Amino acid sequence: MGRPKKTLKAKEPIRIRERKLADGNRSLYLDMYSRGVRKVESLGLYIVPEKTHFDKVHNEHAWQVAQKIKSERILALQTYGIGQWEKIQQSFVPLTKFLEEYEQDSSGVSASTVRGRKYMRLRVEQYLRDIGRLQMSIMEVDVDVCRGFIKFLRMSKNERLKKTERNISNCSGLQIQTIFTGALNKALRDGIIEKNPMKQLSAKERFHRQESTREYLTIDELKSMIAISCEDETLKNAFLFSCFTGLRISDVRSLTWGKVLEFPNGNGQYLRVKMQKTQNFVNIPLSKDALKYMRQTDRPDEPVFKISPATSVITQKLQAWADKANVNKRISYHVSRHTFATMLLTVGVDIYTVSKLLGHTDISSTQIYAKIIDKKKVDAISKVDDFFDALEHVGKEMDNEN
């Protein structure tokens, strides 16, 4: 009877190896060989001489971690191939580290965007800490993790409101959800993940934009405020300027005469502004009404409006001014932007042009103002109905008298 055939053991593409160090410890690393290509990856794990029971426990843990990483790398190697090794390594970067790098990549984004990314990262870290998976790699983020994160957000407390136990608002949840989705989209573009698991959530599971009421001034209310003096005339001029340009206060603060340009045909002037919120450039023609509120200066780099108070003080001053003008509305500086949008739509400017003047990247943001104008039309028709109802009532009374 012949000798039994030897069973060929498949050669592992990745092996754990040791490198002896000068201090007597041994560092662990992965030695990978596939299709003629060799890669080496240090694991940052060390085997120490076993002098105590603690040393033995330490070494066992180090080997367990090394074996786990090895298994993950073999799976990734089968998925991507050795030629994509850099992306394989990126996919095993902790999610929190990836989000921190995403936050710090501030090129071409506004300061408010960076703050939003930081706020999102801190919420993700809190969620991962709660579920005991703070070291989760970006490759491990699946639809269940995303679903759990959205549920976590719905139950999260608003840490800014120390005196109450209110949950974060729908608006905050939507903002965090949008930024987190954007971070995973970047990972998808970079080839780190194969699909964005946030896109797999059902519509019912995700946060959605809610219908919002946007306060604005009617033309008559705006005339009333123009006619009344304000405690801070510089602030009054800046607010009215925004009513005729739609600029946010952040852009008004940074506005200089150097951003005011002449039209090529010589028929007027326009602003060329890079909006701080979106980092997009927008061109806004300057009407005579807008120009008369701009402070003249000889220096093109000097601010047109020197607005120094904090936002809370600005709101107080604007509200006092509105009350003095008998405008019974809650007024903040942003009301000027809403006023600009609704005025344009009221006089018949098309929604696409209004969207461009506001610097909106998505026309759905502008459609909110269109709904306001539609509501005004409905209210107008209702007043006509009331008028004819009143006439009919008067007619019946006259008939009865006759």
Side-chain angles (χ1 to χ4, degrees):
M1 189 169 111
R3 287 186 293 178
K5 292 182 180 180
K6 291 183 178 180
T7 56
L8 296 176
K9 187 177 181 181
K11 187 176 181 180
E12 289 187 307
I14 302 178
R15 293 187 178 185
I16 302 173
R17 298 195 185 278
E18 300 179 6
R19 181 181 292 113
K20 191 171 183 180
L21 304 177
D23 59 2
N25 294 340
R26 302 190 306 277
S27 68
L28 300 179
Y29 67 94
L30 296 182
D31 187 5
M32 292 154 282
Y33 188 83
S34 177
R35 298 184 180 182
V37 179
R38 185 168 183 261
K39 296 285 184 181
V40 174
E41 179 185 358
S42 176
L43 299 178
L45 299 170
Y46 301 93
I47 301 298
V48 301
E50 295 185 359
K51 297 178 181 179
T52 64
H53 174 70
F54 176 78
D55 294 334
K56 184 176 180 181
V57 172
H58 167 86
N59 291 343
E60 288 176 353
H61 177 70
W63 272 106
Q64 288 174 0
V65 174
Q67 290 288 354
K68 180 177 181 295
I69 296 174
K70 172 188 171 183
S71 300
E72 292 173 345
R73 297 297 191 270
I74 290 175
L75 179 62
L77 195 63
Q78 293 170 346
T79 303
Y80 296 100
I82 194 72
Q84 300 291 319
W85 184 248
E86 284 70 24
K87 290 182 179 178
I88 291 175
Q89 287 182 301
Q90 285 180 306
S91 66
F92 286 98
V93 167
L95 174 61
T96 53
K97 184 179 179 181
F98 173 82
L99 294 179
E100 188 173 359
E101 292 174 354
Y102 181 66
E103 169 195 333
Q104 293 171 353
D105 182 16
S106 58
S107 56
V109 299
S110 65
S112 62
T113 298
V114 175
R115 288 194 297 270
R117 289 178 178 181
K118 180 179 180 181
Y119 185 58
M120 176 272 294
R121 175 179 60 82
L122 293 175
R123 287 293 185 174
V124 171
E125 287 182 0
Q126 187 180 357
Y127 166 63
L128 295 179
R129 194 176 290 111
D130 283 1
I131 64 175
R133 299 184 65 183
L134 191 58
Q135 296 303 315
M136 177 188 294
S137 70
I138 189 168
M139 190 180 185
E140 295 177 280
V141 180
D142 57 17
V143 66
D144 288 330
V145 171
C146 293
R147 184 175 291 117
F149 180 51
I150 298 302
K151 289 181 179 178
F152 165 82
L153 288 178
R154 294 191 186 280
M155 301 299 294
S156 294
K157 300 300 179 185
N158 190 331
E159 296 172 352
R160 297 173 184 172
L161 301 175
K162 303 294 184 182
K163 296 181 180 180
T164 65
E165 289 295 317
R166 276 172 46 190
N167 291 355
I168 63 172
S169 66
N170 179 83
C171 182
S172 294
L174 177 61
Q175 182 185 34
I176 295 169
Q177 173 184 279
T178 302
I179 299 173
F180 184 57
T181 303
L184 294 181
N185 279 337
K186 183 182 186 304
L188 181 63
R189 289 194 302 271
D190 292 345
I192 299 173
I193 57 178
E194 292 185 310
K195 57 186 176 182
N196 188 338
M198 282 295 292
K199 301 289 184 69
Q200 296 177 269
L201 294 178
S202 67
K204 290 183 178 180
E205 293 173 306
R206 295 193 297 265
F207 285 95
H208 294 280
R209 188 188 300 275
Q210 293 180 338
E211 288 290 334
S212 59
T213 55
R214 301 200 171 188
E215 201 70 273
Y216 65 96
L217 299 175
T218 64
I219 293 176
D220 288 339
E221 289 170 338
L222 181 57
K223 287 179 179 178
S224 297
M225 292 189 69
I226 290 173
I228 295 294
S229 63
C230 177
E231 173 190 346
D232 187 336
E233 284 298 310
T234 300
L235 178 59
K236 173 182 176 178
N237 289 337
F239 179 86
L240 294 176
F241 173 80
S242 290
C243 287
F244 293 104
T245 60
L247 285 187
R248 301 178 180 88
I249 190 170
S250 57
D251 298 311
V252 170
R253 287 183 189 276
S254 62
L255 181 64
T256 63
W257 275 101
K259 297 177 181 178
V260 180
L261 306 174
E262 297 280 345
F263 281 114
N265 58 10
N267 293 333
Q269 297 170 294
Y270 68 97
L271 297 178
R272 173 72 171 167
V273 181
K274 186 178 184 179
M275 293 192 160
Q276 291 191 22
K277 181 176 180 179
T278 62
Q279 294 296 292
N280 293 328
F281 280 98
V282 61
N283 297 327
I284 304 173
L286 290 171
S287 65
K288 292 179 181 179
D289 288 305
L291 282 167
K292 71 182 181 183
Y293 295 112
M294 298 176 72
R295 184 178 67 93
Q296 298 295 324
T297 174
D298 296 331
R299 294 178 55 186
D301 59 341
E302 187 176 347
V304 176
F305 301 98
K306 294 183 177 180
I307 309 173
S308 55
T311 303
S312 58
V313 177
I314 287 174
T315 302
Q316 290 174 4
K317 289 184 176 181
L318 290 176
Q319 189 63 61
W321 175 34
D323 293 342
K324 187 177 177 183
N326 294 318
V327 174
N328 187 26
K329 289 181 177 179
R330 293 183 61 184
I331 303 297
S332 67
Y333 197 97
H334 213 61
V335 169
S336 61
R337 183 169 167 85
H338 301 329
T339 301
F340 174 70
T342 52
M343 276 200 306
L344 291 182
L345 290 169
T346 299
V347 298
V349 179
D350 65 274
I351 192 169
Y352 180 78
T353 301
V354 175
S355 180
K356 289 297 181 185
L357 290 171
L358 291 171
H360 285 163
T361 55
D362 186 352
I363 201 169
S364 63
S365 300
T366 321
Q367 287 171 339
I368 295 172
Y369 298 108
K371 290 179 180 179
I372 292 173
I373 302 304
D374 288 342
K375 185 178 184 302
K376 287 175 65 179
K377 292 175 182 176
V378 171
D379 291 342
I381 295 299
S382 297
K383 289 179 180 178
V384 173
D385 289 340
D386 292 340
F387 174 73
F388 280 102
D389 286 342
L391 284 180
E392 184 179 353
H393 179 69
V394 171
K396 287 182 178 178
E397 287 186 348
M398 293 178 64
D399 290 340
N400 292 335
E401 290 177 359
N402 293 333

